[in-house]
Amino acid sequence: MNFGIIAAGEGSRLAQEGVAKPKPLVEIDGRPMIERLMRIMESAGAERIVVCTNGSMPEVSKFLEEYRPAEGVELIHIVRRTPSSMHTFKEISAYLKGHGRFITTTVDTIFRPEDFFGYVKAWEEAPRDVDALMAVTDYVEDEKPLWVGVKEPGREVTGFHDSQRPDTRYISAGIYGLSDAAVDVLDNCIEQGMSRMRNYQRALVEAGLGVFAYPMGKVLDVDHASDIEAARAFLA
């Protein structure tokens, strides 16, 4: 399995709240978030990890230059200034498309390793007609959650919504299992001037692809200084 990490944001909210370190280097369980994420991916059987960071954070670039991945794992580091996370994903996808199914997430997504391993296994074993397997969570703490419409019993995704509806028990966890067909939709979104990952996810459903949800337990993001302690407590 190949993996991508979106880490090109500037982390402006954390900086405004007094966090001096760049977001990828903020320590959660005694190590930087980006290191924790890469080690989990390596334990999940990573063959290639593609990371895109922002050139305004030289400390992160230095960390990745000195990072030594597990044996047999290829680490590709891209430095780009991108206008949105979707454009960052576009940069990453160029190194993942054509190599089979892959998983991409943002650097500040916090989850239990065992929950992630189950998700990776489910994506590896998903039928061929499944073009995307989106991790979802029923833990809602995001300021602007993306609600996921799910049709039981197979958990096929019917839509992505900005507000809760009767069929939206879950929200997007920001972890995307994707195929080459899903990347083709991304290319179309970029051409149409879209810039938000939630609009990309909507486009996957609108394109008629097989998009399904995978409940992954508790997942949280580190957007504010208070989230750092919440993440530490969660993992402890």
Side-chain angles (χ1 to χ4, degrees):
M1 180 66 70
N2 295 317
F3 297 90
I5 300 176
I6 297 171
E10 296 185 356
S12 56
R13 281 178 291 189
L14 289 181
Q16 291 169 2
E17 294 172 7
V19 179
K21 287 185 177 180
K23 180 187 281 191
L25 298 185
V26 171
E27 295 186 356
I28 297 297
D29 61 349
R31 54 187 169 172
M33 282 193 285
I34 194 166
E35 178 183 359
R36 176 179 188 270
L37 191 52
M38 290 190 294
R39 293 303 182 195
I40 291 173
M41 289 173 172
E42 291 168 7
S43 297
E47 297 176 6
R48 169 180 287 186
I49 300 175
V50 184
V51 185
C52 186
T53 64
N54 191 319
S56 66
M57 298 181 180
E59 307 98 320
V60 180
S61 292
K62 184 175 185 296
F63 178 85
L64 289 170
E65 288 170 3
E66 297 175 352
Y67 181 82
R68 295 294 175 263
E71 184 177 355
V73 179
E74 179 186 15
L75 174 61
I76 298 175
H77 177 210
I78 311 165
V79 180
R80 295 284 190 279
R81 277 187 176 274
T82 58
S84 71
S85 57
M86 195 172 83
H87 286 81
T88 304
F89 174 46
K90 169 65 176 173
E91 298 287 342
I92 290 172
S93 69
Y95 294 88
L96 296 174
K97 186 177 180 181
H99 296 276
R101 290 174 165 175
F102 63 90
I103 293 171
T104 295
T105 186
T106 52
V107 71
D108 63 341
T109 305
I110 307 299
F111 46 77
R112 297 182 183 92
E114 57 269 28
D115 293 338
F116 186 71
F117 298 151
Y119 168 66
V120 173
K121 187 173 186 293
W123 182 218
E124 289 176 332
E125 297 178 352
R128 283 189 156 189
D129 60 350
V130 177
D131 299 299
L133 186 65
M134 303 302 199
V136 298
T137 178
D138 57 6
Y139 177 72
V140 184
E141 52 81 40
D142 199 292
E143 294 172 332
K144 296 180 180 179
L146 179 62
W147 294 91
V148 184
V150 176
K151 182 170 63 177
E152 300 292 354
R155 297 200 182 98
E156 181 179 4
V157 173
T158 58
F160 294 91
H161 311 286
D162 292 327
S163 58
Q164 190 171 17
R165 301 186 180 194
D167 64 339
T168 54
R169 172 185 172 188
Y170 303 103
I171 65 170
S172 171
I175 308 171
Y176 320 102
L178 301 167
S179 64
D180 283 356
V183 177
D184 292 337
V185 174
L186 171 67
D187 295 339
N188 292 334
C189 289
I190 295 291
E191 291 174 3
Q192 293 173 30
M194 296 183 188
S195 61
R196 304 186 71 190
M197 286 297 288
R198 61 180 56 199
N199 289 334
Y200 166 60
Q201 293 180 77
R202 291 182 177 118
L204 293 174
V205 176
E206 292 167 1
L209 298 190
V211 183
F212 291 79
Y214 179 90
M216 216 182 90
K218 184 176 180 178
V219 180
L220 53 87
D221 295 330
V222 177
D223 292 321
H224 297 280
S226 59
D227 296 334
I228 297 173
E229 292 306 320
R232 290 170 177 165
F234 166 49
L235 296 177

